[in-house]
């Protein structure tokens, strides 16, 4: 069959004229998760959406096709991106389920966020559930309890959820750099090297909830900030979730300084264990005094956890009880 070159050329021009090009941004979704191992997810999207042309580069997906087909892809893209952000996972089964209008996951609404392995992070004890409830209804929350009750972990999960849902623009995590037997001056390295060991539990928790590349990006751009308490002075913290961990090692002046950093659109969580105070003998814990000073302010929530909320190894509960039985030095 002979094809008229002129007519073919005109047909190509006409087809390209009715096509549009759109760029879709992955935002908080991790491109590595979205595209899949070896771009398996991207290949499936191309097979499921043959009428559009997909080009992925970094966190941008370029789509070329007619207006109706691009609009259909946009709806699917938004659903898959939301799934990837919420569940920290996306595979071919998830894509097929979404295309068919099914929900790939059903956690019953109990999960705070999902770990980087796709595991739901849920409140596991009554005390942890009270932390979640208090966070939803208060701008300032104190979570006080013994080691192993998941205070910090749940607090960071709530902060990550707020960031993912765009309720805040950043997360700020802080700890007082108080020696627990060691002296900062004798630790090797510069100031960052000296204080990083105190902040490592915060890095660990974040690393379980945010993919490594995305976490690195957030920290480089200041979306997530981790700093010693002393670095909070003079700042106004707005549109953020701000967490102060190990607050039992703050003085009254330090805790007051931190609490007065509260800005518009910000929620604060203060966690600590009053049985593990590492302040010098002459120091007095600001966390111990906080409930006496602030307890009558309705807008501030105090959640007290105990040994029944311990979620670490079963021996931790027995250790805590044994030490409480003999009292503090």
């Amino acid at each position: 069959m002979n094809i008229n070159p002129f007519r073919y050329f005109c047909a190509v021009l006409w087809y390209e004229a009715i096509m549009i090009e759109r760029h879709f941004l992955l935002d908080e979704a991790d491109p590595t998760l979205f595209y899949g191992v070896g771009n398996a997810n991207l290949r499936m999207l191309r097979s499921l959406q043959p009428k559009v042309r997909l080009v992925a580069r970094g966190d941008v997906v370029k789509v070329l096709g007619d207006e109706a087909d691009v609009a259909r892809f946009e709806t699917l893209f938004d659903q898959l991106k939301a799934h990837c952000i919420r569940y920290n996972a996306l595979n071919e089964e998830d894509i097929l389920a979404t295309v068919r209008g099914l929900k790939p996951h059903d956690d019953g609404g109990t999960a705070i966020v999902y770990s980087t392995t796709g595991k739901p992070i849920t409140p596991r004890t009554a005390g942890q559930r009270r932390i979640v409830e208090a966070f939803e209804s208060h701008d300032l929350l104190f979570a006080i309890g013994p080691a192993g009750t998941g205070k910090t972990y749940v607090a960071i999960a709530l902060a990550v959820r707020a960031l993912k849902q765009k309720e805040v623009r950043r997360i700020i995590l802080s700890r007082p750099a108080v020696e627990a037997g060691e002296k900062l001056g004798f630790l090797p390295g510069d100031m960052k090297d000296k204080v990083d060991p105190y902040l490592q539990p915060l890095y660990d928790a974040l690393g379980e909830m945010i993919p490594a590349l995305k976490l690195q990006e957030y920290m480089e751009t200041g979306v997530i900030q981790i700093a010693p308490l002393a670095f909070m002075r003079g700042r106004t913290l707005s549109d953020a979730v701000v967490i102060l961990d190990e607050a039992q090692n703050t003085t009254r002046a330090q805790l007051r300084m931190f609490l007065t950093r509260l800005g518009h659109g910000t929620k604060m969580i203060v966690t600590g264990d009053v049985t593990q105070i590492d302040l010098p003998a002459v120091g007095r814990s600001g966390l111990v005094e906080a409930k006496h000073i602030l307890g009558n302010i309705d807008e501030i929530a105090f959640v007290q956890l105990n040994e029944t909320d311990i979620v670490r190894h079963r021996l931790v509960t027995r250790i805590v009880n044994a030490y409480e039985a003999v009292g503090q030095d």
Side-chain angles (χ1 to χ4, degrees):
M1 181 177 65
N2 293 326
I3 298 177
N4 186 311
F6 178 73
R7 288 185 177 179
Y8 177 78
F9 178 70
C10 290
V12 170
L13 289 179
W14 175 82
Y15 177 71
E16 292 185 348
I18 65 171
M19 295 180 72
I20 62 172
E21 180 179 308
R22 294 280 304 278
H23 291 190
F24 299 110
L25 189 63
L26 286 172
D27 297 320
E28 287 81 11
D30 184 353
T32 305
L33 292 177
F34 189 88
Y35 300 144
V37 177
N39 287 332
N41 294 343
L42 193 60
R43 288 198 301 272
M44 171 165 276
L45 284 174
R46 285 175 175 143
S47 67
L48 292 171
Q49 302 285 310
K51 293 184 179 181
V52 295
R53 191 187 312 164
L54 304 179
V55 178
R57 185 167 298 169
D59 60 354
V60 177
V61 178
K62 184 172 72 173
V63 183
L64 189 66
D66 70 37
E67 187 171 356
D69 291 330
V70 171
R72 279 191 288 271
F73 177 82
E74 181 177 11
T75 300
L76 176 61
F77 176 86
D78 288 342
Q79 292 172 338
L80 295 176
K81 181 175 73 170
H83 177 96
C84 192
I85 293 172
R86 172 159 175 74
Y87 299 107
N88 268 331
L90 186 67
N91 56 42
E92 296 176 6
E93 289 77 14
D94 297 329
I95 295 172
L96 285 174
T98 303
V99 169
R100 293 168 182 165
L102 304 175
K103 288 187 176 181
H105 289 262
D106 185 7
D107 56 41
T110 60
I112 303 172
V113 292
Y114 282 74
S115 73
T116 53
T117 61
K119 179 182 177 181
I121 296 173
T122 61
R124 297 171 58 186
T125 69
Q128 291 184 0
R129 285 191 291 273
R130 290 197 300 273
I131 292 175
V132 175
E133 293 165 0
F135 179 81
E136 292 171 352
S137 57
H138 294 78
D139 289 339
L140 177 54
L141 159 66
F142 286 80
I144 304 170
T149 51
K151 307 178 298 294
T152 303
Y153 196 75
V154 171
I156 291 178
L158 289 167
V160 171
R161 182 183 70 179
L163 182 65
K164 284 175 174 284
Q165 295 179 350
K166 298 187 177 181
E167 296 170 1
V168 296
R169 292 189 296 107
R170 54 186 175 157
I171 297 173
I172 300 172
L173 309 176
S174 186
R175 266 188 166 198
V178 176
E179 299 95 334
E182 306 92 1
K183 296 295 182 182
L184 277 175
F186 290 99
L187 293 175
D190 57 18
M191 179 55 70
K192 183 180 185 302
D193 295 327
K194 292 176 188 291
V195 300
D196 264 1
Y198 292 92
L199 306 175
Q200 192 59 48
L202 306 181
Y203 290 111
D204 292 343
L206 285 170
E208 289 189 31
M209 303 176 198
I210 301 174
L213 291 178
K214 203 67 185 177
L215 178 57
Q216 181 180 354
E217 176 191 325
Y218 281 155
M219 298 192 70
E220 289 175 351
T221 57
V223 173
I224 294 179
Q225 303 171 26
I226 304 179
L229 177 60
F231 290 19
M232 297 295 107
R233 188 175 299 277
R235 302 180 64 184
T236 300
L237 308 176
S238 302
D239 298 315
V241 176
V242 185
I243 298 173
L244 175 62
D245 192 34
E246 300 288 352
Q248 75 275 3
N249 287 329
T250 62
T251 64
R252 178 193 289 190
Q254 287 174 325
L255 187 55
R256 177 181 177 179
M257 178 273 292
F258 175 81
L259 296 177
T260 54
R261 303 306 96 198
L262 185 65
H264 294 292
T266 288
K267 284 179 176 278
M268 276 187 173
I269 306 176
V270 179
T271 69
D273 176 4
V274 295
T275 68
Q276 295 189 9
I277 299 173
D278 298 315
L279 292 169
V282 294
R284 190 171 183 182
S285 171
L287 183 62
V288 172
E289 297 180 329
K291 191 163 186 178
H292 300 292
I293 297 172
L294 305 173
N296 292 327
I297 301 177
D298 294 336
E299 291 86 352
I300 301 176
F302 285 84
V303 176
Q304 182 68 52
L305 299 98
N306 55 44
E307 63 275 3
T308 64
D309 295 300
I310 293 175
V311 292
R312 289 183 186 164
H313 193 286
R314 62 182 181 277
L315 276 177
V316 175
T317 300
R318 300 187 65 180
I319 291 168
V320 169
N321 290 336
Y323 274 96
E324 287 184 349
V326 298
Q328 291 181 280
D329 293 334

